[in-house]
Amino acid sequence: MSVSIAIRDFAKEFQTADGSRLRVLENVDLQVAPGEFVTILGPSGCGKSTLLNALSGLDTSFEGVVEIGRSAVGAAKPRIAYLFQEPRLLPWRTVRGNIEFALDAARVPKSEWPARCERWLQAVGLASFADYFPLQLSGGMQQRVSIARAFSIEPELLLMDEPFSALDEITALRMRQLLLSLWEADRRTVLFVTHNSLESVYLSDRIVVMKSGPNSRICEEIGLGHLRRPRTYDDPAQYETQRAVLATLMRYV
Amino acid sequence: MKSRLFVGAVPRLASVAMLLTIWYAAAWLPAKPLLPPPHQVLIYLAQDIQKPEIWKHLGVTLMRIFLGFALSMAIAIPFGIALGFSAFARHLFGSWVVIGLMIPSLVFIILAYTSIGLNEFAAVVAAALAVVWVLTINIWESAKAVDVKLIQMARGFGLSSVRIVTSVVLPQLAASLMASARFGLGLVWKMVLFVELLGRSNGIGYQIEYYHQLFDLGRVLEYTVFFVAIMLLIEVVVLGGIERRLFRWRPAARLA
């Protein structure tokens, strides 16, 4: 099951070191349909992560309305998984222990833990590394563990904050393929943040472009309905689209 | 593996040989020997460890170390954590800790003996007072270094605040608390010898001072070697063992 997102009139201010207030985001409106993969594309420092923090509940001091909704009224709090730029694994727990940590936090019954660990570690190709500690794995493997951790709680909403930008190019290409293959299996709602136009075109159904901050907001929306799924890296239509997206992005830097 | 052992073993043997050479050279200086030769010290030691006396002195010293260490950790852990996490505690106690750190240990020992009396309790308090400040700062620093990103991650997955403390904050502190404990023990045992020298009539520190009065350098070294060997054993076997068990996840700890 997936959820929709509605953000209306969102604004966020930060207190700077000298006491003045810095308005990083304003007039942000964004609707995301259930099961849609939407990418927020913008230069560094435009407040993309700020938006994700508000959605995840990490930040509650903002102006405007943020709704994560199910069709059923009064349903329980939606299950959200958050993927960060770094793997953010607990180094003192094994790979399996890290996935169990998320399952525990998401209140998944203990009886389901072994099957879920097995399934998602298999899905990211790390089934034989369940008893390793994170520091014994490479950076790419650690990020795969964090993807398995995110999917293992079967989230209704996946928030991803530049999860592949710290990886080398080949690893990042593979991880995007992996992400899409996992996502296409049951289409959870995804809000993906990046500054990489290639990535945004390859992955998403729709791109929203933000201008550089402060006073950042969404400037343009680009639908990618014309690109077939499953996506491949050598689709010429994608290259054309990426050139257009990059040109749009450059206008707002 | 064999060649690594060889590479490791050769410099280690060489280091022992060099140490012994220097010691013998100092012992056999023609004009005026600086030290008794190592075998003399070992002969003393071999004789004395068969008698109960040296073990009795060791026992009282270890008891003082243990109590002083426990007392200083019991104070330093809550204060260090409070200082790391609360601005209020920092304003209230931050300067105390810095001032405490500046006061010479000798002053604390004299203060404890004169105000409490020349007894066991004063000895333990003196040892604890001498080291508690630097231990508190140590724990304060490690509380500051707790990784906020992991806390964010846990909150992102919906973990409750209480569970975040128990499963994300405390395990991170455990690593540095363990390091502080080893560091603290090293400080306390040096301080206890000092405390014994100044105001007790038994213990390793007292014995070393006693033989110093008699200018019996051989016995001074005998007690020193004996005590260092015991403390090394405690440090490596007990604390090292705990640390290896607790921190299997750290690659460096696994290699050690």
Side-chain angles (χ1 to χ4, degrees), chain A residues 57-59 80-82 84 86 88-93 101-102 104-107 133 135-136 149-150 153, chain B residues 148-160 163 167-172 246 248-251 254:
Chain A
L58 287 181
D59 178 9
I80 300 174
Y82 204 143
F84 303 89
E86 327 80 26
R88 300 202 189 183
L89 302 171
L90 302 177
W92 57 89
R93 282 178 176 242
F101 175 82
D104 186 18
R107 291 169 192 85
F133 287 101
L135 296 182
Q136 298 172 296
R149 178 177 65 184
I153 66 166
Chain B
V148 183
K149 288 184 165 181
L150 288 181
I151 297 177
Q152 261 185 2
M153 179 278 293
R155 278 178 59 202
F157 277 101
L159 201 68
S160 70
R163 290 293 314 281
S167 353
V168 183
V169 177
L170 283 182
Q172 285 188 69
L246 269 177
R248 279 184 308 137
W249 53 274
R250 276 198 304 215
R254 289 170 74 89

Side-chain angles (χ1 to χ4, degrees), chain B residues 97-112:
Chain B
V97 179
V98 177
I99 292 168
L101 197 64
M102 296 299 152
I103 298 175
S105 308
L106 181 63
V107 175
F108 286 120
I109 299 172
I110 291 172
L111 269 179

Side-chain angles (χ1 to χ4, degrees), chain A residues 194-215:
Chain A
T194 184
H195 55 254
N196 179 332
S197 60
L198 174 98
E199 182 170 74
S200 69
V201 173
Y202 175 70
L203 291 173
S204 38
D205 295 321
R206 185 155 56 101
I207 299 171
V208 297
V209 180
M210 288 178 81
K211 77 174 193 71
S212 56
N215 300 351

Side-chain angles (χ1 to χ4, degrees), chain A:
Chain A
M1 201 168 111
S2 305
V3 290
S4 60
I5 301 173
I7 297 170
R8 282 190 294 275
D9 246 348
F10 182 93
K12 173 76 189 177
E13 284 185 345
F14 282 109
Q15 188 106 32
T16 55
D18 62 13
S20 62
R21 299 190 72 77
L22 180 71
R23 207 167 168 82
V24 283
L25 281 169
E26 60 183 15
N27 301 330
V28 177
D29 287 273
L30 178 65
Q31 315 286 324
V32 179
E36 194 178 15
F37 196 129
V38 172
T39 294
I40 302 175
L41 178 66
S44 296
C46 72
K48 298 171 301 220
S49 307
T50 308
L51 210 51
L52 288 199
N53 284 339
L55 276 165
S56 69
L58 287 181
D59 178 9
T60 51
S61 62
F62 52 80
E63 299 161 36
V65 181
V66 170
E67 284 173 354
I68 301 172
R70 286 202 184 90
S71 39
V73 180
K77 223 178 113 196
R79 237 200 319 277
I80 300 174
Y82 204 143
L83 261 173
F84 303 89
Q85 189 174 339
E86 327 80 26
R88 300 202 189 183
L89 302 171
L90 302 177
W92 57 89
R93 282 178 176 242
T94 59
V95 166
R96 186 198 312 280
N98 269 282
I99 290 173
E100 288 175 351
F101 175 82
L103 295 173
D104 186 18
R107 291 169 192 85
V108 173
K110 222 170 187 157
S111 56
E112 291 181 31
W113 291 7
R116 292 223 195 174
C117 286
E118 181 76 11
R119 176 177 172 206
W120 291 105
L121 284 178
Q122 196 97 49
V124 299
L126 290 175
S128 53
F129 291 90
D131 296 317
Y132 280 60
F133 287 101
L135 296 182
Q136 298 172 296
L137 306 178
S138 71
M141 288 161 92
Q142 290 183 27
Q143 194 59 302
R144 265 145 73 195
V145 175
S146 81
I147 291 175
R149 178 177 65 184
F151 275 91
S152 72
I153 66 166
E154 296 178 359
E156 294 156 289
L157 171 61
L158 261 164
L159 302 173
M160 303 198 189
D161 191 356
E162 306 191 8
F164 309 134
S165 65
L167 301 172
D168 66 86
E169 194 179 344
I170 303 289
T171 310
L173 289 173
R174 290 214 184 106
M175 302 284 257
R176 288 184 205 119
Q177 282 176 329
L178 172 67
L179 172 64
L180 276 194
S181 69
L182 296 180
W183 175 75
E184 274 160 8
D186 47 13
R187 303 243 169 176
R188 304 173 187 289
T189 311
V190 176
L191 197 56
F192 190 102
V193 159
T194 184
H195 55 254
N196 179 332
S197 60
L198 174 98
E199 182 170 74
S200 69
V201 173
Y202 175 70
L203 291 173
S204 38
D205 295 321
R206 185 155 56 101
I207 299 171
V208 297
V209 180
M210 288 178 81
K211 77 174 193 71
S212 56
N215 300 351
S216 184
R217 64 200 144 72
I218 292 172
C219 305
E220 205 134 348
E221 293 203 15
I222 304 165
L224 302 175
H226 60 289
L227 299 176
R228 282 175 297 111
R229 287 191 191 272
R231 302 264 168 89
T232 52
Y233 279 118
D234 51 11
D235 179 0
Q238 239 177 84
Y239 282 115
E240 281 307 303
T241 311
Q242 194 218 331
R243 281 177 53 198
V245 168
L246 191 55
T248 311
L249 179 62
M250 293 308 279
R251 286 212 301 275
Y252 297 106
V253 173

